[in-house]
Amino acid sequence: MTEEIQDADVERIPLATYTERAYLDYSMYVINDRALPHIADGLKPVQRRIIYAMSELGLNNQAKFAKSARTVGDVLGKFHPHGDSACYEAMVHMAQSFSFRYPLVDGQGNWGAPDDPKSFAAMRYTEARLSRYAELLLGEIRQGTVDYVANFDGTVDEPKLLPAQLPFVLLNGSTGIAVGMATDIPPHNMNEVISACIHLLDSPKASVADLMTHIKAPDFPTDAQIITPPADIRSVYETGRGSIKARAVYQVESGEIIITALPHQTSPAKVLEQIAQQMHAKKLPMLVDLRDESDHENPTRLVLVPRSNRVDLERLMSHLFATTDLERSYRVNLNIIGLDQRPQVKSLVTILKEWLTCRQDTVTRRLNFRLEKINERLHILEGLLVAYLNIDEVIRIIREEEQPKQELMKRYKLSEIQANAILDLRLRQLAKLEEIKLTTEQNELSAEKADLEKILKSKARLKTLVKKELLAVAEEYGDERRSPVVTGDKEVAGEAQAFSDEDLLTNDPITVVLSTKGWARAAKGHELDPQELNYRGGDSFAQAARGRTNETLIFVDTSGRTYNIAPHSLPSARGQGEPLTGRLKPPAGSKFIGVAMGTAETQVLMASSAGFGYVGKLSDLVTKNKAGKASLTVPAGGVALPPSPITHTADAQQWVAAVTDQGRLLVFPLKELPELAKGKGNKLINVPTAAFKAGEEQMIAAVVLSEDQELVVRAGQRHLRLKHKDLDNYMGERARRGRKLPRGFQKVDALSVS
């Protein structure tokens, strides 16, 4: 029987239903009672309870400081049965001027620092009281403006919300993570928010664009610049989601960079550490020193010392903005518990409209509360005036009647409240009771009552009162914007860009040497004679290119493919270099035969042994592909030739000299060749197709020279130097057969220019 009764008292539900219900209950608790702020006062429950507990302890802005442990104990014991460390941390957060735009707690002692916000002392060491801004949350709490509910154990009551005189949900912002949702609300400037509220009262149909004439952007507790474009800020305020970007402020003093303001929640020590790591990794060769000169007078003063006055400081800072916390993005998610007690991501217009609705309700409750008090006092004053007019009879009744209260009520038709007020008067008060004083007070209260009734009956008057009160608050508590908005200044708010590997290279002269076996190396300077270097057995000099470490370096193989390697990455010429096949992947059967170097606009002559070629830019020959880029189309049976650099000089004509292995030389103007990005090119010298296919004749070299240069023809151990006047016999139109070289040079090995 007992088991049956016990079973009847047990609710049996499926485990899935139970877990779903339990998790949903927990989720709603976290969302509504822990993580998200309410639109009315902008506070989470723990913050609201801390402020209310401090007010109950009398810790207003004029009171003496009290130990933080005293406040935390009161909060935990009466209102918030959770961990003391979490409660104290919430209290510290409201006291940190670098965390809250308008701190609600005034702290004394170590309350943390921007370097480490959680470096605050234990609550037994610190003291606190409410700040002056807390009065804007608590000033009307005793005027019937809020509802009270029982605390967790039913021993005391606590307010459900605080009667905020300003939309603190925007002023101080909020961050929190609930279940399945989060909130990230940036802080704003008080004067701007009040101005927007007044505008919305006057123009209820105002858009976000209208309100942005008052609220330019968020206003963080630091002086860092807000660089988010206006269109993006507008999107944030319209949708309730987005991001805001802030950037440090710097100035140049005596060639040194002085950082004077950091983005919100940025640690100066961490910034210096980030820069130092880059210096150690040799990613900032233009910086030689950095130091922190921050003190009481200059809360933020970070000094960066460039290597020389030739360093581009704006470009350097752009790199630091892109790679360190000197520039930060803040996520915005305006997720707030609204008047319907439900969380929702709201636009700026919706937030202000809902808060103004809440504020008008609060003011209405305050006026009704005051009206009720006035009516009660007027009722008592009527009784006191009756007593004054009949004071002798009243005194007699009090002295002689057994039940003076009932007699007074009966004789003068008084209420019990009026009779009690007369009986509670002391003799000396009766003596001082004067008709003028009572009448004056009655008239004043009657006039105030009439004003209150007019306001309560008119929405327009109520709005006017709200506007006047907002302006009064702005006059007393408002301040200037701290975070300047520089979105209109393209030079200041330009996109930050990190240094590329090329940007970090020094502009030093360098000579790149390629061997016939495809080994490459680099030597500093241009004075080196590549042919005097030491080569591996069976290897020899093929071609060299002179340029600078930050220029473009191109290698060419016999298949006509081009490859790109950073010049500074090549091994030193003190050794024998390294094979290019270790880095690159040329087609099977091809080998590296040429090298060219220069800026992206540098031109070279690309040619093949079939007698074809074109003028190309190095920028068109560059590729990140290790397998190279098909730049020169080589006919079957032919090979690509080493590229010839083209050096343009003012008013100097350039010539192309092409020679075959049968000793035929043709010289023609360079302008007759087209400039291509890739392809086969045009015919340079006429190599008979049949002879080329049979392997009997091919073009072995093509170079570009100017009028003041000599052409050097090599055949075995012999060489022939031809000046410009000596080349007249070999001049002709492009694609001609050319003329035979002198006897002994019928089998040409190479051409060069000197």
Side-chain angles (χ1 to χ4, degrees):
M1 184 67 180
T2 304
E3 292 182 359
E4 291 180 2
I5 294 174
Q6 289 178 345
D7 289 343
D9 292 339
V10 175
E11 181 184 2
R12 296 181 180 273
I13 59 175
L15 180 61
T17 304
Y18 169 76
T19 54
E20 180 180 351
R21 183 191 302 171
Y23 189 71
L24 182 60
D25 291 344
Y26 169 74
S27 302
M28 294 307 298
Y29 164 74
V30 172
I31 291 170
N32 287 297
D33 293 326
R34 184 182 296 181
L36 302 187
H38 197 283
I39 196 166
D41 54 16
L43 299 175
K44 301 177 185 178
V46 64
Q47 297 171 329
R48 188 179 301 117
R49 287 164 177 167
I50 290 171
I51 292 172
Y52 180 68
M54 292 181 76
S55 71
E56 289 294 286
L57 289 171
L59 298 178
N60 59 48
N61 186 240
Q62 303 301 321
K64 291 183 178 180
F65 288 92
K67 284 289 185 183
S68 300
R70 174 72 178 88
T71 299
V72 172
D74 226 47
V75 174
L76 299 186
K78 291 183 177 180
F79 309 114
H80 199 70
H82 296 278
D84 59 340
S85 59
C87 179
Y88 179 51
E89 190 169 330
M91 180 178 173
V92 169
H93 193 63
M94 290 192 291
Q96 293 175 334
S97 59
F98 51 84
S99 296
F100 260 43
R101 180 65 176 83
Y102 300 97
L104 300 175
V105 175
D106 187 6
Q108 186 168 269
N110 177 13
W111 290 81
D115 264 347
D116 186 4
K118 295 194 176 183
S119 63
F120 49 85
M123 59 184 171
R124 61 181 177 274
Y125 299 120
T126 60
E127 298 178 338
R129 65 185 180 189
L130 292 171
S131 73
R132 59 193 292 260
Y133 297 113
E135 181 63 23
L136 297 174
L137 288 167
L138 298 165
E140 300 173 351
I141 198 168
R142 305 296 180 193
Q143 300 178 28
T145 53
V146 294
D147 295 325
Y148 283 80
V149 294
N151 70 337
F152 63 91
D153 61 1
T155 55
V156 294
D157 290 337
E158 61 175 316
K160 291 177 64 176
L161 299 167
L162 297 182
Q165 298 178 44
L166 291 177
F168 275 90
V169 71
L170 288 178
L171 297 186
N172 281 326
S174 184
T175 60
I177 300 175
V179 178
M181 61 180 62
T183 183
D184 290 281
I185 307 171
H188 291 77
N189 181 265
M190 184 182 294
N191 283 341
E192 293 181 2
V193 172
I194 290 175
S195 180
C197 288
I198 293 175
H199 179 80
L200 199 56
L201 285 171
D202 292 333
S203 305
K205 295 183 179 180
S207 64
V208 168
D210 297 330
L211 296 184
M212 283 187 64
T213 60
H214 303 274
I215 301 177
K216 308 291 184 184
D219 187 23
F220 296 103
T222 69
D223 296 332
Q225 300 170 333
I226 294 176
I227 61 171
T228 305
D232 293 349
I233 298 177
R234 178 175 175 178
S235 175
V236 168
Y237 286 145
E238 286 177 341
T239 64
R241 287 192 174 95
S243 64
I244 298 293
K245 189 177 292 185
R247 178 180 290 180
V249 176
Y250 73 95
Q251 58 192 33
V252 180
E253 295 180 6
S254 303
E256 297 179 340
I257 299 172
I258 312 297
I259 299 172
T260 57
L262 294 174
H264 180 44
Q265 296 175 333
T266 296
S267 165
K270 184 178 180 181
V271 169
L272 291 179
E273 180 184 352
Q274 291 172 334
I275 299 175
Q277 287 176 350
Q278 293 192 41
M279 293 175 65
H280 182 70
K282 298 183 179 180
K283 293 183 178 180
L284 283 176
M286 62 288 296
L287 274 185
V288 295
D289 189 23
L290 66 159
R291 57 184 182 270
D292 188 353
E293 295 183 355
S294 305
D295 54 25
H296 184 71
E297 293 183 359
N298 302 289
T300 301
R301 184 178 171 86
L302 307 182
V303 182
L304 310 181
V305 183
R307 184 174 296 277
S308 69
N309 57 8
R310 295 189 300 275
V311 175
D312 187 345
L313 300 184
E314 290 186 4
R315 182 69 185 90
L316 170 60
M317 289 305 298
S318 178
H319 168 78
L320 293 178
F321 289 145
T323 57
T324 70
D325 284 347
L326 289 176
E327 180 177 303
R328 292 185 61 177
S329 290
Y330 300 90
R331 184 177 59 182
V332 178
N333 182 18
L334 305 181
N335 193 5
I336 305 168
I337 298 176
L339 296 180
D340 57 359
Q341 306 306 314
R342 294 183 179 181
Q344 183 185 3
V345 177
K346 303 177 184 294
S347 68
L348 179 64
V349 173
T350 304
I351 291 173
L352 292 181
K353 279 187 176 180
E354 285 200 26
W355 182 83
L356 286 172
T357 299
C358 180
R359 180 58 187 161
Q360 291 178 72
D361 291 342
T362 301
V363 172
T364 300
R365 293 184 63 167
R366 188 190 75 208
L367 297 180
N368 281 323
F369 180 82
R370 175 59 182 164
L371 186 59
E372 185 179 342
K373 294 296 182 183
I374 289 175
N375 287 331
E376 291 176 359
R377 181 59 181 168
L378 287 173
H379 183 63
I380 292 174
L381 287 177
E382 290 177 3
L384 293 177
L385 283 171
V386 170
Y388 176 80
L389 295 174
N390 304 277
I391 190 166
D392 293 334
E393 182 62 18
V394 169
I395 293 174
R396 186 197 67 77
I397 292 174
I398 293 174
R399 290 180 62 186
E400 297 178 358
E401 295 293 335
E402 292 183 0
Q403 295 181 334
K405 182 168 71 172
Q406 282 74 12
E407 185 63 26
L408 287 173
M409 293 170 62
K410 181 180 179 181
R411 177 77 61 87
Y412 300 109
K413 297 181 180 179
L414 300 176
S415 67
E416 186 174 354
I417 295 175
Q418 292 172 321
N420 285 332
I422 294 172
L423 293 174
D424 288 342
L425 289 173
R426 297 179 181 180
L427 288 176
R428 62 182 180 183
Q429 289 175 315
L430 283 172
K432 292 181 179 180
L433 205 59
E434 298 178 6
E435 183 180 8
I436 295 177
K437 288 184 179 180
L438 293 176
T439 304
T440 301
E441 183 181 0
Q442 188 181 43
N443 292 337
E444 290 175 353
L445 292 177
S446 298
E448 185 179 353
K449 176 183 177 181
D451 290 339
L452 292 178
E453 289 175 341
K454 286 181 181 179
I455 295 173
L456 290 171
K457 291 178 181 178
S458 171
K459 290 184 179 180
R461 291 178 183 271
L462 182 63
K463 285 185 178 181
T464 302
L465 176 62
V466 171
K467 284 193 290 185
K468 287 181 179 179
E469 292 179 350
L470 287 173
L471 289 172
V473 170
E475 182 71 24
E476 184 175 356
Y477 294 92
D479 60 355
E480 296 297 322
R481 165 176 281 276
R482 291 186 190 174
S483 301
V485 182
V486 296
T487 53
D489 191 337
K490 293 184 179 179
E491 294 183 1
V492 176
E495 189 71 24
Q497 186 175 1
F499 286 134
S500 63
D501 292 340
E502 289 75 14
D503 293 330
L504 297 175
L505 296 178
T506 55
N507 189 20
D508 298 326
I510 189 175
T511 300
V512 177
V513 181
L514 177 68
S515 73
T516 55
K517 296 289 187 180
W519 286 58
R521 46 186 154 168
K524 293 182 179 179
H526 292 164
E527 295 77 19
L528 173 77
D529 185 353
Q531 299 193 24
E532 294 181 357
L533 292 175
N534 182 29
Y535 292 88
R536 300 168 65 251
D539 201 0
S540 61
F541 169 73
Q543 191 180 12
R546 292 179 170 84
R548 295 189 172 273
T549 51
N550 61 347
E551 291 183 338
T552 302
L553 176 63
I554 296 294
F555 289 98
V556 182
D557 70 6
T558 51
S559 69
R561 301 183 74 84
T562 56
Y563 306 81
N564 179 217
I565 289 181
H568 70 280
S569 66
L570 292 176
S572 171
R574 294 174 182 174
Q576 293 179 339
E578 66 177 34
L580 291 177
T581 51
R583 298 194 190 187
L584 307 173
K585 298 179 180 179
S590 65
K591 65 177 185 177
F592 294 97
I593 47 90
V595 59
M597 192 175 182
T599 65
E601 298 299 316
T602 297
Q603 293 181 324
V604 293
L605 174 62
M606 299 289 290
S608 67
S609 60
F612 293 88
Y614 67 87
V615 175
K617 288 183 180 179
L618 291 188
S619 59
D620 294 328
L621 308 178
V622 172
T623 177
K624 293 182 179 179
N625 191 348
K626 290 185 178 181
K629 177 181 181 180
S631 298
L632 177 66
T633 302
V634 180
V639 294
L641 301 178
S644 177
I646 300 174
T647 305
H648 289 283
T649 55
D651 300 328
Q653 188 173 357
Q654 303 285 309
W655 304 85
V656 176
V659 66
T660 70
D661 56 1
Q662 296 300 317
R664 288 191 172 274
L665 174 66
L666 176 65
V667 180
F668 62 88
L670 175 67
K671 61 184 179 181
E672 294 184 9
L673 269 184
E675 181 179 326
L676 303 175
K678 63 178 181 178
K680 179 180 178 180
N682 288 13
K683 182 172 286 190
L684 306 183
I685 187 171
N686 186 6
V687 177
T689 304
F692 174 74
K693 289 183 177 180
E696 297 174 355
E697 185 178 6
Q698 62 181 356
M699 186 175 73
I700 62 164
V703 296
V704 178
L705 71 159
S706 58
E707 295 179 358
D708 57 350
Q709 291 180 312
E710 290 183 339
L711 181 67
V712 181
V713 183
R714 298 183 184 276
Q717 299 297 322
R718 298 184 177 188
H719 66 275
L720 176 66
R721 289 184 174 272
L722 300 174
K723 295 184 179 180
H724 187 266
K725 62 181 180 179
D726 301 325
L727 296 176
D728 289 344
N729 291 332
Y730 304 98
M731 294 284 186
E733 296 179 355
R734 180 184 61 78
R736 295 296 184 184
R737 189 78 174 98
R739 288 178 175 271
K740 280 274 191 178
L741 287 165
R743 185 181 299 275
F745 291 91
Q746 300 301 310
K747 295 293 183 180
V748 179
D749 296 328
L751 283 184
S752 62
V753 177
S754 65

